[in-house]
């Protein structure tokens, strides 16, 4: 797995906007270790999150708004990027990578880290010989991204990557799905964990943020030709995208997906040549 020291990640979320979010307050100093006396973040938790309070709604996916009522459970919550630190006056966890311009949870259900999983599915294009990966177009921002999603309560991350791939990138009617099943089982049989950590996601706030586990699955020639793609769920498009640093589509991937992909491939003796 790629071992990035968490402190090397400098997030840019405070510079981003997201549909339905208020404008972020100015962030002069990202790091909590530096004083930013004028810092005045906007409080924002989306009403969808409040309506999914699992203490009030059966099957709800969000924590309750009163963070102190789950203080014990929060103490046990672990971030991939370091020990959780809590605000003294409110008990809220603070973003492991610094200020974002928004307090509260935005559209994220959990206080602190919200865990996702991302499948990096690659192939060598049989004609161009370029290394490519399966990229979806996200419905929320229009950005290209790995077809990842949130880990459901009680679900193993290795199951999440396969489920999310099928939902977002291989969303065929039942019959066709059955035909593809064998290929997908083969492809997802050997998960290789290549990244675990923070995602520079535009939904992040000072008190809630995305973290992911990225698993790499490479298609051999046969699989690369036979796997069919069909967008679904949160994806409005899907395609094989060339992994070419410097090219616009690749440079502008969601969050830090580009860095995760480059780190995984750059460290692999067999594949790093594709980045030359
Ligand atoms: C990113 O958002 C993760 O890396 C993952 O790709 C995705 C999960 O959120 P949804 O796509 O489910 O909204 O931060």
């Amino acid at each position: 797995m790629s071992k990035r020291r968490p402190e090397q990640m400098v997030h840019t979320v405070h510079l981003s906007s997201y549909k339905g979010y208020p404008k972020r307050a100015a962030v002069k100093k990202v790091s909590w270790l530096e004083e930013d006396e004028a810092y005045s973040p906007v409080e924002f938790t989306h009403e969808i999150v409040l309506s999914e309070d699992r203490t009030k709604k059966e099957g709800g996916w969000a924590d309750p708004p009163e963070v102190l009522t789950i203080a014990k459970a929060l103490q046990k919550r672990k971030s991939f990027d370091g020990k959780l630190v809590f605000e003294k006056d409110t008990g809220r966890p603070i973003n492991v990578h610094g200020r974002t311009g928004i307090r509260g949870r935005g559209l994220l259900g959990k206080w602190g880290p919200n865990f996702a999983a991302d499948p990096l599915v690659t192939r060598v294009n049989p004609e161009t010989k370029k290394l490519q990966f399966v990229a979806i177009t996200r419905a929320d921002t229009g950005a290209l991204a790995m077809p990842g999603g949130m880990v459901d309560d009680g679900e193993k991350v290795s199951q999440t990557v396969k489920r999310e791939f099928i939902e977002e990138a291989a969303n065929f009617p039942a019959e066709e799905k059955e035909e593809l099943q064998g290929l997908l089982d083969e492809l997802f049989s050997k998960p290789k964990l290549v990244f675990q950590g923070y995602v520079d996601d535009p939904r992040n706030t000072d008190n809630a943020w995305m973290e992911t586990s990225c698993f790499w699955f490479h298609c051999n020639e046969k699989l690369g030709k036979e796997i069919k793609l069909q967008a679904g769920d949160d994806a409005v498009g899907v395609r094989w995208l060339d992994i070419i640093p410097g090219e616009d589509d690749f440079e502008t991937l969601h969050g830090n997906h580009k860095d995760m992909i480059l780190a995984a491939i750059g460290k692999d003796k067999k594949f790093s040549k594709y980045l030359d």
Side-chain angles (χ1 to χ4, degrees):
M1 187 185 34
S2 130
K3 271 279 173 202
R4 161 179 61 73
R5 288 210 324 277
E7 66 272 24
Q8 288 172 336
M9 141 76 74
V10 179
H11 70 186
T12 59
V13 56
H14 53 289
L15 304 173
S16 71
S17 58
Y18 191 83
K19 198 171 57 179
Y21 271 44
K23 193 173 173 326
R24 290 178 186 271
V27 174
K28 286 211 186 88
K29 304 280 181 199
V30 172
S31 169
W32 298 110
L33 300 175
E34 293 179 89
E35 282 290 316
D36 187 349
E37 276 169 15
Y39 184 55
S40 176
V42 184
E43 176 76 40
F44 174 63
T45 299
H46 200 285
E47 59 192 31
I48 291 177
V49 171
L50 298 174
S51 72
E52 288 290 337
D53 177 352
R54 64 182 152 74
T55 64
K56 301 232 167 73
K57 177 182 171 182
E58 212 186 305
W61 45 261
D63 287 336
E66 305 81 11
V67 72
L68 292 174
T69 61
I70 56 161
K72 265 198 180 150
L74 270 182
Q75 291 290 342
K76 290 194 196 130
R77 224 165 252 182
K78 295 220 168 18
S79 159
F80 290 127
D81 281 10
K83 211 173 161 317
L84 286 193
V85 174
F86 298 87
E87 287 173 358
K88 284 206 179 65
D89 47 345
T90 67
R92 293 178 179 193
I94 57 168
N95 190 310
V96 280
H97 287 282
R99 299 181 176 94
T100 68
I102 292 186
R103 287 174 54 72
R105 285 174 291 166
L107 263 170
L108 303 178
K110 307 273 188 324
W111 291 104
N114 286 252
F115 294 104
D118 284 290
L120 168 60
V121 174
T122 58
R123 74 165 183 186
V124 176
N125 182 302
E127 275 128 48
T128 63
K129 306 293 175 211
K130 296 253 190 304
L131 186 64
Q132 303 182 305
F133 80 104
V134 174
I136 55 136
T137 304
R138 292 183 59 94
D140 55 354
T141 58
L144 289 161
M146 286 185 276
M150 309 302 293
V151 180
D152 289 342
D153 288 336
E155 188 179 42
K156 285 192 179 147
V157 276
S158 54
Q159 293 170 330
T160 312
V161 275
K162 187 172 177 187
R163 176 178 58 72
E164 286 289 337
F165 185 86
I166 294 172
E167 284 175 13
E168 296 190 347
N171 194 340
F172 292 98
E175 273 172 41
E176 289 178 57
K177 223 177 241 172
E178 231 168 74
E179 281 173 31
L180 260 188
Q181 199 58 51
L183 297 176
L184 292 171
D185 290 346
E186 186 185 341
L187 175 63
F188 286 96
S189 64
K190 287 187 208 110
K192 181 180 174 193
L193 182 63
V194 289
F195 175 88
Q196 274 189 317
Y198 185 85
V199 189
D200 192 5
D201 189 291
R203 292 167 292 188
N204 292 349
T205 70
D206 284 0
N207 310 117
W209 60 92
M210 295 292 305
E211 300 199 8
T212 196
S213 300
C214 176
F215 292 87
W216 184 5
F217 307 90
H218 183 67
C219 298
N220 58 28
E221 207 179 319
K222 178 177 156 286
L223 274 177
K225 273 189 198 146
E226 292 180 358
I227 292 265
K228 291 188 290 174
L229 304 175
Q230 173 75 51
D233 198 37
D234 296 339
V236 290
V238 62
R239 64 181 161 117
W240 288 102
L241 181 72
D242 289 346
I243 299 176
I244 305 183
E247 293 234 327
D248 263 12
D249 280 351
F250 185 67
E251 287 296 318
T252 54
L253 293 180
H254 175 84
N256 46 327
H257 283 195
K258 178 193 82 169
D259 297 336
M260 291 177 207
I261 296 172
L262 289 181
I265 294 167
K267 285 204 163 67
D268 189 290
K269 284 198 186 103
K270 205 167 123 207
F271 288 94
S272 55
K273 62 174 187 237
Y274 288 101
L275 300 181
D276 294 343

